[in-house]
Amino acid sequence: MKKSKWISLLLAAACSASAVSCSKDTSSGDTMRDISTAQVVKEMGVGWNLGNTLEACGDWISSTSVESYETAWGNPVTTKEIIDGIAGAGFKSVRIPVAWSNMMAEDYTIDASLIARVKEVTGYVLDNDMYAIINIHWDQGWISKADENHDGTLEKYKAVWKQVSEEFSGYSDKLIFESLNEEGVYDNTWNRYTNAGDKEKAYGLLNELNQTFVDLVRDSGGNNGKRHLLIAGYATDVDLTCDPAFKMPEDPQNRCAVSVHYYTPSTFTLLTADADWGKARKSWGSEKELSELEGYMDKLKTTFVDKGVPVIIGEFGATTTNKEPESVHRYISAVAQAAYDRGMCPMLWDNGEHYDRSTCQFRDQELLQGLQTVMNSQRD
């Protein structure tokens, strides 16, 4: 999630006592199971985002220390205990957003200390027998410049994924690569609000990046030939990703899922005060609003899930600032349940507001209990 745009979105997950530990050999070549991506998504259950952490970035940060970037947006250094707590609360997957440009040379070589740190945090997740997702996150928005600098953007994109793919090639199938975050949207080429411009060209830029991602990972050796991959939808928006102009990349392994984000209605989930683009809403949960949610989830199911393309809701949530707590509980539980019931994996966005990373305690027990109810429910 882009900090400058979504700073008000603070969502959470939890921790409790101890977590299950599972030792694994991340360098072994026999850790890729004969399992479909749909089954993987089912096993991922309800997930959690390590938000505002390894994706923290900004020109005002001047340091050669990974820790300086990791803590720049207000969160502490991630520890094993923090991730153990997430596992102990019942979460089965963790998304780890990363800004690789933070420590990168002019030739796009990623600093070894940043790669090592991402490996360390990924290890915390995998040691708990959870799924881990690593991506290219907002990272100062350079991916959104593909319509202005096509060749340069593609060169950097390939350089990043070539290094990441090689460094993580020995990891098991509990590690998933995600092509990018929300930045696959090109309003200068096609305005999604006015429909002005060249829509096919705008979608084509994202489709090209996603296909490049799949091709590069598949050719990178090790376990990557069969690794499960997460493909970013157009702006990760439900309607825009369900549009026929969005194309899932061709994959000889047929091991790709699609990622969308869900913050609808944004006047409730994002706005803490009235803005020029909308009036902040304090409550949520009317029959009309519940019907809207069901409609969006049905659309994802019919467009993708029913056609054999698994779906991960890579981010969802709602700010608690100036909101009715009951509405926040209702919204988060309802979105998680609606996605989970349709075979999708919902992953809660959390930048530290609800999950206290210093104490590994979930600040709002009712919110946690609502999510645990979803985790413990049955689904096909």
Side-chain angles (χ1 to χ4, degrees), residues 209-283:
L209 283 173
N210 281 331
Q211 187 64 63
T212 298
F213 166 72
V214 171
D215 293 344
L216 190 152
V217 173
R218 290 289 176 251
D219 291 341
S220 61
N223 287 336
N224 292 337
K226 293 186 177 181
R227 188 167 307 285
H228 300 279
L229 305 177
L230 183 55
I231 307 302
Y234 195 89
T236 59
D237 176 88
V238 174
D239 283 330
L240 295 175
T241 302
C242 289
D243 191 288
F246 173 76
K247 307 294 185 184
M248 285 293 289
E250 295 182 6
D251 176 24
Q253 296 297 327
N254 192 29
R255 289 190 168 203
C256 290
V258 66
S259 174
V260 295
H261 296 173
Y262 193 81
Y263 294 114
T264 302
S266 56
T267 48
F268 173 73
T269 60
L270 302 177
L271 274 188
T272 59
D274 293 347
D276 56 3
W277 59 270
K279 184 176 178 61
R281 296 159 61 174
K282 294 181 179 295
S283 62

Side-chain angles (χ1 to χ4, degrees), residues 84-102:
D84 288 351
I86 294 301
F91 293 88
K92 301 298 184 185
S93 50
V94 174
R95 183 170 176 257
I96 306 169
V98 183
W100 299 101
S101 298
N102 281 340

Side-chain angles (χ1 to χ4, degrees), residues 133-154:
I133 297 174
I134 58 174
N135 71 356
I136 302 176
H137 213 67
W138 178 58
D139 202 10
Q140 301 276 37
W142 61 270
I143 288 177
S144 65
K145 307 299 183 183
D147 55 347
E148 303 172 13
N149 180 18
H150 173 273
D151 293 348
T153 301
L154 199 63

